[in-house]
Amino acid sequence: MIVTTTVQEVRAARRDDPWLTWGLIPTMGTLHEGHLSLVRRARAENDRVGVSIFVNPIQFNRRDDLDAYPRQLERDCELLRTEGVDLVWAPPEDEVYPPGYQTYVDLEQITLPLEGASRPGHFRGVATVVAKLFNVFEPTRAYFGQKDAQQAAVLRQMVRDLAFNLEMVICPIVREPDGLAMSSRNLRLKSDERQAALVLHRALKAAESEWQQGRREAGHLRTTMQQVIEAEPLARLDYVSAADPISLQELAGNAEHVLLSMAVFIGAVRLIDNFVLGGQTE
Ligand code: AMP
């Protein structure tokens, strides 16, 4: 497994045999089973697998969140070696954004609601770094998690709009046995907060149960989730949503095909989770 910090070495490996297929998994490190599920899928579908590990400063709108983001590069590389990864790119900040850098990728409507509304500039940072990763790796396929549902929708849109020559593969959310969606941020939860964090999954389950019993009015689904969150003393609701899975616009009336999503602060840690009901987005 090659571990490198430079664009040049990634290019050299990629161009070694241009006919081989490459799967790319962009990450911010501190890897868990969620990331590894993407790696395994990429391993099964491509000749070569590349992983980037970069805590992208321009997608953080809060300095404290960026500073507190966990980092464990050596352990991550060990895990990736075990999974048969071929290439890891872990660049320093100035390799991605050299002095004088001034090019950014901005998407319009799709970045306005949900995470985009709560985290100004977030998707500008995400789209910019992922566009750069696509240009550096030139992957055949790129793997992302449904955990970040809006990110997946935004990046699909970017690939369409800018005609990136690759296939986007969106993989299901991997959860802890008790239902908590895996996230590098879970490491920051204290033990009572770890218990309280189950409220996200509980709220989604409650809304799913209503939906399954035929109570599908979008406003009712939002209220159901909100009430479950508000009953948890350690939780502070950022948003709940019952939206169209493609456009991400909030639904009114009956929600036959719906992305239920939410962001909730548990103490100082902001967690997100979602379910898609009524069939997959793809
Ligand atoms: P991150 O390191 O948080 O930027 O995540 C890197 C990739 O892993 C993103 O495409 C995420 O959506 C995906 N991912 C993170 N957590 C999970 C999870 N629990 N299940 C599936 N994919 C995930």
Side-chain angles (χ1 to χ4, degrees), residues 26-29 32 34-35 38 69 144-145 147-148 151 172-174 182:
T27 81
M28 299 202 298
H32 50 64
H35 299 107
L38 275 53
Y69 202 86
F144 294 91
K147 161 87 189 326
D148 298 278
Q151 170 174 282
I173 301 179
V174 177
M182 288 194 184

Side-chain angles (χ1 to χ4, degrees), residues 25-38 52-55 59 69 126 143-149 151-152 155 169-176 180-186 272-273:
I25 302 101
T27 81
M28 299 202 298
T30 310
L31 304 178
H32 50 64
E33 282 295 316
H35 299 107
L36 297 183
S37 72
L38 275 53
S52 62
I53 300 179
F54 180 58
V55 182
Q59 75 184 65
Y69 202 86
V126 169
Y143 295 81
F144 294 91
Q146 175 62 23
K147 161 87 189 326
D148 298 278
Q151 170 174 282
L155 294 175
V169 182
I170 311 302
C171 304
I173 301 179
V174 177
R175 297 178 179 281
E176 301 286 356
L180 179 66
M182 288 194 184
S183 164
S184 309
R185 288 191 168 86
N186 294 349
I272 58 172
D273 202 350

Side-chain angles (χ1 to χ4, degrees), residues 108-109 249 255 266:
E108 299 189 345
Q109 294 91 325
Q249 295 305 303
I266 305 289

Side-chain angles (χ1 to χ4, degrees), residues 29-201:
T30 310
L31 304 178
H32 50 64
E33 282 295 316
H35 299 107
L36 297 183
S37 72
L38 275 53
V39 171
R40 288 174 196 140
R41 174 102 181 250
R43 184 66 285 170
E45 294 179 351
N46 300 276
D47 299 318
R48 298 281 183 269
V49 176
V51 174
S52 62
I53 300 179
F54 180 58
V55 182
N56 178 31
I58 69 166
Q59 75 184 65
F60 286 79
N61 61 313
R62 285 169 43 218
R63 182 76 217 187
D64 58 323
D65 192 26
L66 173 62
D67 291 343
Y69 202 86
R71 290 161 172 87
Q72 24 184 274
L73 182 60
E74 274 183 28
R75 179 182 165 276
D76 290 346
C77 287
E78 281 317 308
L79 285 171
L80 295 174
R81 197 169 279 120
T82 316
E83 297 294 337
V85 165
D86 299 284
L87 174 64
V88 174
W89 188 38
E93 196 176 326
D94 63 1
E95 184 73 2
V96 180
Y97 305 114
Y101 189 91
Q102 48 183 313
T103 305
Y104 296 88
V105 179
D106 259 317
L107 288 90
E108 299 189 345
Q109 294 91 325
I110 197 163
T111 63
L112 298 180
L114 309 174
E115 291 297 290
S118 290
R119 305 179 68 189
H122 173 65
F123 287 117
R124 181 182 203 240
V126 169
T128 299
V129 78
V130 171
K132 180 136 191 178
L133 290 167
F134 287 173
N135 282 329
V136 172
F137 277 86
E138 299 179 48
T140 318
R141 301 182 185 86
Y143 295 81
F144 294 91
Q146 175 62 23
K147 161 87 189 326
D148 298 278
Q150 187 175 16
Q151 170 174 282
V154 165
L155 294 175
R156 267 183 197 289
Q157 182 75 42
M158 179 185 81
V159 165
R160 246 197 323 270
D161 290 351
L162 296 183
F164 278 103
N165 187 21
L166 55 87
E167 182 190 337
M168 293 285 285
V169 182
I170 311 302
C171 304
I173 301 179
V174 177
R175 297 178 179 281
E176 301 286 356
D178 61 8
L180 179 66
M182 288 194 184
S183 164
S184 309
R185 288 191 168 86
N186 294 349
L187 285 177
R188 295 173 50 202
L189 297 167
K190 304 188 185 83
S191 75
D192 54 340
E193 292 172 344
R194 171 64 184 75
Q195 197 55 32
L198 294 175
V199 74
L200 284 86
H201 187 243

